[in-house]
Amino acid sequence: MQLEHPYLSRMPSRDEEQRALELHARATVVDTCGAIPPGSGGSLDESIALLRLGGVDCVGMTLSAEEHDQRAAMDQIIFWNRNIRKHSEDLVKATCADDIRQAKEDGRIAVYYLFQNAKPFGDDPGNVELFKDMGVVSSAITYNKRNFLGDGCAEPEDSGISTIGREMIAEMNRVGMLVDLSHGGKRTQLTAAQASISAPYFSHNNCYSVFGNRRNATDQTMQVVADKGGMMSTMPLEINHDPEATVANMVDHLMHTLDIFGPNGAGICTDFPKGRRSVYETAYIDQEGYLNIQYDGTLYVKRMKWEGPGCLQTPPWYPYAEGVKSYEGLPNITRELVLRGVEDSTIVAALGENFIDLMSRVVG
C-alpha cells in the first residue's frame, strides 16, 4: 500500500499532530546511545542546535567502542569533560538520575558517559570503580569482537561470558554501573543478563524476532532482562532488509519491545556516534577493508572490519531509518507511536522516563 507520508505509517490528523508535539515537549527525551560530535574548531554549537530541534534532554555519550583501550578511554573523558565545561550554558555532565531531571528543569541537556565495550577495564575488575569515579555510568560487555569478558556478535563461536566477565559484572553491580548487553553475541547477551544481579539493559538494540540479524536480541534474552526490571532502547538501524527503512519500521521493533517488557521497559536511541555528517564526511575504507572514521573530531581510528549487514560501501555508511537520520527527526518516533494508538503515559515513559527510572535504581 502506498503511504501518504514518506516516514510514517500514515499522515497524522491535526489532533494527532498536536498531541504528538505536546507529548514530545512534555517528556524528558533521553537518547540512550547518541552523540554530540564537534564541528569546525571543536565547537558543539551545531550539534546542540540539532539536539534542541529534536527536543532531546539527555544523551548517552559513547566514549569507547572497539577502538579504545584504557588510556584512550581516559583521553575521551578528559576531552568531553572539557567540552561540557566549555558549553556549560547548554550542557551538564550527569552521573545520576537526579542530574537528568535537574537538567530538564534548567533547560540544559544532560550528558552521561557510556562504554560500548568493556575493553578499557582490561582483565582487572578494579578498573570498573576507577571509571565509575570518573563518571562512566554504563558499559557494554563487549563490542562486535571478543574481549576478556565475552564474545561479541561477530564472533562465530559465541561462547558467552567468561569467568572474568562474571567477576566484572559483579563489580559493576557493586559500584552501581549499568550492564549493557548491546553488541554481544546471543549467548553473551543471555549469560550476562542471567549473571547480573542488578537490572541489565540494552542501550541500543532491536528485536531478532522482527529482523533476524546478528546484532538483534532474542525474545528469550529480552524476557530475562524484563524479568529483572531492565529495559531495551530500539534504534533506527538493523531494522529490516530494506536499505530505505522508515521510522515506522523502527517502531515495529519498539512495539515488540513493549509486548515483552510492558510499558516500563521500552526506550529509544539513535546510535548516532557513527552516523552524523561531521563524523563520516571524511571517512574512507582503507586497503585492508577497515573503515577509518574521524570519531571525535580530532583523530582517525580503525573502526571495524567492513563486513556484514547494516553497512554501506559509500557515505553515509550506515542506513539510518528515513525520518530519523538526524536529531531533528526524533519527534517522528513520537508521531508514529501516537498513530499506533499507544497511551500517552507509555509514550512519555519510552521517550525517557523508563531509562531515568532504571538509572535511579541501579546507579543512583
Side-chain angles (χ1 to χ4, degrees), residues 145-166:
K145 297 180 182 178
R146 179 175 294 160
N147 64 15
F148 286 120
L149 280 68
D151 283 355
C153 63
E155 291 293 340
E157 298 302 321
D158 190 15
S159 299
I161 58 170
S162 65
T163 299
I164 294 174
R166 294 180 186 279

Side-chain angles (χ1 to χ4, degrees), residues 12-60:
S13 68
R14 181 176 299 178
D15 287 345
E16 288 169 332
E17 175 69 7
Q18 185 63 30
R19 177 186 163 207
L21 292 176
E22 289 176 355
L23 283 172
H24 200 83
R26 172 158 57 92
T28 302
V29 178
V30 180
D31 178 357
T32 60
C33 184
I36 316 177
S40 60
S43 173
L44 304 183
D45 293 344
E46 180 183 353
S47 290
I48 291 170
L50 284 174
L51 285 164
R52 294 203 179 280
L53 280 174
V56 180
D57 300 296
C58 177
V59 176

Side-chain angles (χ1 to χ4, degrees), residues 143-212:
Y143 200 66
N144 293 342
K145 297 180 182 178
R146 179 175 294 160
N147 64 15
F148 286 120
L149 280 68
D151 283 355
C153 63
E155 291 293 340
E157 298 302 321
D158 190 15
S159 299
I161 58 170
S162 65
T163 299
I164 294 174
R166 294 180 186 279
E167 294 173 357
M168 208 75 76
I169 289 170
E171 183 66 3
M172 293 170 72
N173 291 163
R174 185 187 73 81
V175 304
M177 183 181 290
L178 290 164
V179 175
D180 184 3
L181 308 176
S182 306
H183 281 283
K186 297 292 186 290
R187 290 198 68 240
T188 299
Q189 289 181 336
L190 178 60
T191 53
Q194 292 169 334
S196 182
I197 296 173
S198 300
Y201 85 125
F202 297 89
S203 68
H204 61 301
N205 228 96
N206 281 331
C207 310
Y208 188 82
S209 63
V210 178
F211 177 46

Side-chain angles (χ1 to χ4, degrees), residues 316-349:
W317 309 111
Y318 289 81
Y320 288 92
E322 296 292 335
V324 201
K325 289 184 177 293
S326 78
Y327 279 117
E328 192 174 1
L330 212 62
N332 284 326
I333 299 173
T334 307
R335 290 185 176 97
E336 183 63 28
L337 288 169
V338 167
L339 296 179
R340 302 288 181 105
V342 178
E343 293 184 0
D344 288 7
S345 60
T346 300
I347 294 175
V348 170

